[in-house]
Amino acid sequence: MSLTLNTAYLADFVSPAELQAMEPYVQTAHRLLHDKKGPGNDFLGWLDLGQNHCSGELSRIEAAAQKIKRDSQVLVVIGIGGSYLGARAALDFLRSPHYNALPKDTPDILFAGNTLSPDALHEMLALCRGKDLSLNVISKSGTTTEPALAFRVFRDLVEKKYGKEGARGRIYCTTDKARGTLKTLADREGYESFVIPDDVGGRYSVFTPVGLLPIAVAGCNLTALLDGCAAAEQAYSNPSLAENDAYRYAAIRNILARKGRVSEVLVSYEPAFVMLGEWFKQLFGESEGKDGKGLYPTSMCFSTDLHSLGQYVQEGSPVLFETVLSLKHNRQDFFLEPDGEDFDGLNFLAGQNLSVVNHKAFLGTLLAHLQGGVPNLVVELEDRSEDTFGRLIYFFEKACAVSGYLLGVNPFDQPGVEAYKKNMFALLGKPGFEPEKARLEQLLSDL
Ligand code: PA5
């Protein structure tokens, strides 16, 4: 298996009997999910995207990616939340966090429309200056403000550069099959569009065109990615807690949370996994954080963050547990040569590979944190291949769905995301929000 959950270090925190006691609850959650009887059961299309290969869209996605690779130096991916985090995580994991700067034969990929900062928008535009561009605007609702605003700006840019007709061949819309202003615009203007299935929510959409088009443009192998996902679908369909790592992980999180470990840190020792941490935070944060419940998901990259947050993890409030992503095989190793002078006293490392030093840092940290009373789970990953990434994403998705049901929440909605939007629209004077505007302005002046 290219992904294994190692729970060997949990003995002091979760007993076999406690885990065994979760079996009936996990079985119930499994049945709710697979019989499609639980809350949010109209959003379960992600369960078998690996086997379904996004309902025949794959060849159109590959063809669009080939065209973008031929005619563009930059692809601007416009989307927010689940409409960009999966592709962003994949790009770093499968290629590199320095993808744009490193030599390659595929276009640069920029991510816009995930902030309202004018500085950020100007910087994106500056990065596009003088380059051949394509746009992939991604929004399931087709109405989200951040991407809609950025799309206005970038659409204008490509229309000015290539004319309306030329722009038409460079704009790709990924949206709902029928609803939303983006779909209406795509139909009216004749932009090529890709469908986000009705039954797949944003944060579960990596294996739909949402993730697949940008990932293909980056030169990654979609078939291997989807095959990895399909293998995970098979592996994590087993209802038995003992034989299903995704369910064991969900059950352990639940036990730890009930013991006061209410925040999970996704740890890695690879900068290429930092954006995966951002995707993970959204997946679990939006899925579980509701009805006054949910574990707080966060992420750290070690050893970097051992020099900033390590102190807190070791000796701070005892609310954390760690899930460590441990990579078995780096793409390339770095051999440490001896130094004649040994001026820095590091010759004890000479003759080693850097991966060994990184691994010892992991083991040393693991022991220190266990001694500090911090529970640690380890997810062992074989490599940074498409297959592993496909399995890993599905592992977390499946665990998150079951974890949500164990908590008694609907893991597929996000009602809390609407609150800030309503206030923002009211304060900006959007028609229809007049009474709310007056009330909010009064509240602000009372502060
Ligand atoms: O997971 C989700 O559903 C959200 O994070 C959405 O992806 C995000 O709010 C963007 O929504 P949309 O794709 O409708 O623009």
mmCIF file of all heavy atoms in Angstrom, residues 412-431:
data_model
loop_
_atom_site.group_PDB
_atom_site.id
_atom_site.type_symbol
_atom_site.label_atom_id
_atom_site.label_comp_id
_atom_site.label_asym_id
_atom_site.label_seq_id
_atom_site.Cartn_x
_atom_site.Cartn_y
_atom_site.Cartn_z
ATOM 1 N N PHE A 412 -21.529 17.822 4.918
ATOM 2 C CA PHE A 412 -21.533 18.263 3.528
ATOM 3 C C PHE A 412 -22.145 19.650 3.311
ATOM 4 O O PHE A 412 -22.305 20.077 2.173
ATOM 5 C CB PHE A 412 -22.248 17.222 2.659
ATOM 6 C CG PHE A 412 -21.667 15.845 2.854
ATOM 7 C CD1 PHE A 412 -22.382 14.842 3.484
ATOM 8 C CD2 PHE A 412 -20.361 15.582 2.453
ATOM 9 C CE1 PHE A 412 -21.830 13.595 3.698
ATOM 10 C CE2 PHE A 412 -19.789 14.335 2.667
ATOM 11 C CZ PHE A 412 -20.525 13.338 3.296
ATOM 12 N N ASP A 413 -22.526 20.326 4.395
ATOM 13 C CA ASP A 413 -23.021 21.699 4.194
ATOM 14 C C ASP A 413 -22.060 22.684 4.853
ATOM 15 O O ASP A 413 -21.080 22.287 5.488
ATOM 16 C CB ASP A 413 -24.456 21.859 4.728
ATOM 17 C CG ASP A 413 -24.530 21.711 6.246
ATOM 18 O OD1 ASP A 413 -23.487 21.466 6.885
ATOM 19 O OD2 ASP A 413 -25.642 21.835 6.802
ATOM 20 N N GLN A 414 -22.296 23.966 4.677
ATOM 21 C CA GLN A 414 -21.435 24.995 5.262
ATOM 22 C C GLN A 414 -22.269 26.251 5.523
ATOM 23 O O GLN A 414 -21.982 27.315 4.970
ATOM 24 C CB GLN A 414 -20.197 25.303 4.388
ATOM 25 C CG GLN A 414 -20.440 25.669 2.928
ATOM 26 C CD GLN A 414 -20.766 24.480 2.072
ATOM 27 O OE1 GLN A 414 -20.333 23.362 2.313
ATOM 28 N NE2 GLN A 414 -21.566 24.718 1.043
ATOM 29 N N PRO A 415 -23.332 26.125 6.351
ATOM 30 C CA PRO A 415 -24.231 27.271 6.536
ATOM 31 C C PRO A 415 -23.526 28.492 7.112
ATOM 32 O O PRO A 415 -23.903 29.622 6.820
ATOM 33 C CB PRO A 415 -25.294 26.741 7.511
ATOM 34 C CG PRO A 415 -24.678 25.538 8.157
ATOM 35 C CD PRO A 415 -23.733 24.962 7.158
ATOM 36 N N GLY A 416 -22.467 28.259 7.909
ATOM 37 C CA GLY A 416 -21.784 29.376 8.570
ATOM 38 C C GLY A 416 -21.014 30.274 7.621
ATOM 39 O O GLY A 416 -20.666 31.399 7.974
ATOM 40 N N VAL A 417 -20.733 29.777 6.408
ATOM 41 C CA VAL A 417 -19.948 30.591 5.474
ATOM 42 C C VAL A 417 -20.772 31.785 4.971
ATOM 43 O O VAL A 417 -20.232 32.795 4.524
ATOM 44 C CB VAL A 417 -19.447 29.725 4.287
ATOM 45 C CG1 VAL A 417 -18.628 30.534 3.300
ATOM 46 C CG2 VAL A 417 -18.609 28.546 4.793
ATOM 47 N N GLU A 418 -22.098 31.659 5.068
ATOM 48 C CA GLU A 418 -22.964 32.703 4.517
ATOM 49 C C GLU A 418 -22.980 33.987 5.360
ATOM 50 O O GLU A 418 -23.216 35.076 4.833
ATOM 51 C CB GLU A 418 -24.402 32.178 4.384
ATOM 52 C CG GLU A 418 -24.561 31.059 3.379
ATOM 53 C CD GLU A 418 -23.957 31.399 2.027
ATOM 54 O OE1 GLU A 418 -24.252 32.498 1.509
ATOM 55 O OE2 GLU A 418 -23.168 30.590 1.504
ATOM 56 N N ALA A 419 -22.707 33.859 6.680
ATOM 57 C CA ALA A 419 -22.908 34.996 7.588
ATOM 58 C C ALA A 419 -22.065 36.210 7.188
ATOM 59 O O ALA A 419 -22.572 37.333 7.085
ATOM 60 C CB ALA A 419 -22.603 34.572 9.015
ATOM 61 N N TYR A 420 -20.779 35.991 6.926
ATOM 62 C CA TYR A 420 -19.922 37.136 6.576
ATOM 63 C C TYR A 420 -20.340 37.750 5.247
ATOM 64 O O TYR A 420 -20.268 38.963 5.051
ATOM 65 C CB TYR A 420 -18.435 36.729 6.557
ATOM 66 C CG TYR A 420 -17.880 36.394 5.188
ATOM 67 C CD1 TYR A 420 -17.306 37.390 4.386
ATOM 68 C CD2 TYR A 420 -17.954 35.110 4.665
ATOM 69 C CE1 TYR A 420 -16.809 37.095 3.125
ATOM 70 C CE2 TYR A 420 -17.462 34.806 3.420
ATOM 71 C CZ TYR A 420 -16.883 35.805 2.641
ATOM 72 O OH TYR A 420 -16.410 35.519 1.392
ATOM 73 N N LYS A 421 -20.797 36.865 4.337
ATOM 74 C CA LYS A 421 -21.177 37.369 3.005
ATOM 75 C C LYS A 421 -22.353 38.335 3.125
ATOM 76 O O LYS A 421 -22.351 39.397 2.506
ATOM 77 C CB LYS A 421 -21.584 36.211 2.086
ATOM 78 C CG LYS A 421 -20.455 35.305 1.685
ATOM 79 C CD LYS A 421 -20.957 34.296 0.665
ATOM 80 C CE LYS A 421 -19.992 33.149 0.496
ATOM 81 N NZ LYS A 421 -20.550 32.037 -0.234
ATOM 82 N N LYS A 422 -23.347 37.950 3.946
ATOM 83 C CA LYS A 422 -24.536 38.802 4.092
ATOM 84 C C LYS A 422 -24.131 40.163 4.632
ATOM 85 O O LYS A 422 -24.559 41.199 4.121
ATOM 86 C CB LYS A 422 -25.538 38.146 5.050
ATOM 87 C CG LYS A 422 -26.355 37.075 4.395
ATOM 88 C CD LYS A 422 -27.493 36.625 5.314
ATOM 89 C CE LYS A 422 -28.035 35.294 4.841
ATOM 90 N NZ LYS A 422 -28.215 34.326 5.902
ATOM 91 N N ASN A 423 -23.294 40.158 5.675
ATOM 92 C CA ASN A 423 -22.854 41.432 6.262
ATOM 93 C C ASN A 423 -22.075 42.269 5.258
ATOM 94 O O ASN A 423 -22.270 43.477 5.134
ATOM 95 C CB ASN A 423 -21.968 41.179 7.487
ATOM 96 C CG ASN A 423 -22.777 40.717 8.685
ATOM 97 O OD1 ASN A 423 -23.995 40.644 8.629
ATOM 98 N ND2 ASN A 423 -22.093 40.393 9.765
ATOM 99 N N MET A 424 -21.173 41.601 4.528
ATOM 100 C CA MET A 424 -20.338 42.329 3.564
ATOM 101 C C MET A 424 -21.220 42.972 2.486
ATOM 102 O O MET A 424 -21.065 44.149 2.162
ATOM 103 C CB MET A 424 -19.323 41.368 2.940
ATOM 104 C CG MET A 424 -18.402 42.003 1.921
ATOM 105 S SD MET A 424 -17.202 40.818 1.268
ATOM 106 C CE MET A 424 -18.199 39.876 0.134
ATOM 107 N N PHE A 425 -22.176 42.182 1.944
ATOM 108 C CA PHE A 425 -23.058 42.721 0.908
ATOM 109 C C PHE A 425 -23.855 43.909 1.446
ATOM 110 O O PHE A 425 -24.000 44.932 0.774
ATOM 111 C CB PHE A 425 -24.021 41.644 0.401
ATOM 112 C CG PHE A 425 -23.367 40.568 -0.409
ATOM 113 C CD1 PHE A 425 -23.842 39.261 -0.395
ATOM 114 C CD2 PHE A 425 -22.267 40.860 -1.200
ATOM 115 C CE1 PHE A 425 -23.231 38.270 -1.142
ATOM 116 C CE2 PHE A 425 -21.640 39.871 -1.953
ATOM 117 C CZ PHE A 425 -22.133 38.571 -1.908
ATOM 118 N N ALA A 426 -24.364 43.746 2.692
ATOM 119 C CA ALA A 426 -25.159 44.829 3.275
ATOM 120 C C ALA A 426 -24.312 46.082 3.424
ATOM 121 O O ALA A 426 -24.722 47.186 3.016
ATOM 122 C CB ALA A 426 -25.718 44.391 4.625
ATOM 123 N N LEU A 427 -23.112 45.937 3.962
ATOM 124 C CA LEU A 427 -22.243 47.108 4.187
ATOM 125 C C LEU A 427 -21.812 47.748 2.872
ATOM 126 O O LEU A 427 -21.538 48.947 2.816
ATOM 127 C CB LEU A 427 -21.011 46.703 5.014
ATOM 128 C CG LEU A 427 -21.318 46.351 6.477
ATOM 129 C CD1 LEU A 427 -20.111 45.698 7.147
ATOM 130 C CD2 LEU A 427 -21.749 47.588 7.266
ATOM 131 N N LEU A 428 -21.758 46.949 1.799
ATOM 132 C CA LEU A 428 -21.367 47.503 0.497
ATOM 133 C C LEU A 428 -22.562 48.094 -0.258
ATOM 134 O O LEU A 428 -22.411 48.601 -1.367
ATOM 135 C CB LEU A 428 -20.707 46.421 -0.357
ATOM 136 C CG LEU A 428 -19.278 46.041 0.058
ATOM 137 C CD1 LEU A 428 -18.845 44.745 -0.615
ATOM 138 C CD2 LEU A 428 -18.297 47.161 -0.283
ATOM 139 N N GLY A 429 -23.755 47.948 0.345
ATOM 140 C CA GLY A 429 -24.932 48.555 -0.282
ATOM 141 C C GLY A 429 -25.531 47.732 -1.396
ATOM 142 O O GLY A 429 -26.139 48.278 -2.329
ATOM 143 N N LYS A 430 -25.402 46.430 -1.360
ATOM 144 C CA LYS A 430 -26.020 45.594 -2.398
ATOM 145 C C LYS A 430 -27.537 45.748 -2.309
ATOM 146 O O LYS A 430 -28.102 45.692 -1.200
ATOM 147 C CB LYS A 430 -25.609 44.126 -2.183
ATOM 148 C CG LYS A 430 -26.064 43.202 -3.290
ATOM 149 C CD LYS A 430 -25.479 41.805 -3.149
ATOM 150 C CE LYS A 430 -26.026 40.904 -4.253
ATOM 151 N NZ LYS A 430 -25.483 39.573 -4.234
ATOM 152 N N PRO A 431 -28.204 45.943 -3.455
ATOM 153 C CA PRO A 431 -29.659 46.096 -3.414
ATOM 154 C C PRO A 431 -30.322 44.909 -2.713
ATOM 155 O O PRO A 431 -29.916 43.761 -2.897
ATOM 156 C CB PRO A 431 -30.057 46.141 -4.897
ATOM 157 C CG PRO A 431 -28.827 46.577 -5.608
ATOM 158 C CD PRO A 431 -27.663 46.072 -4.808
#
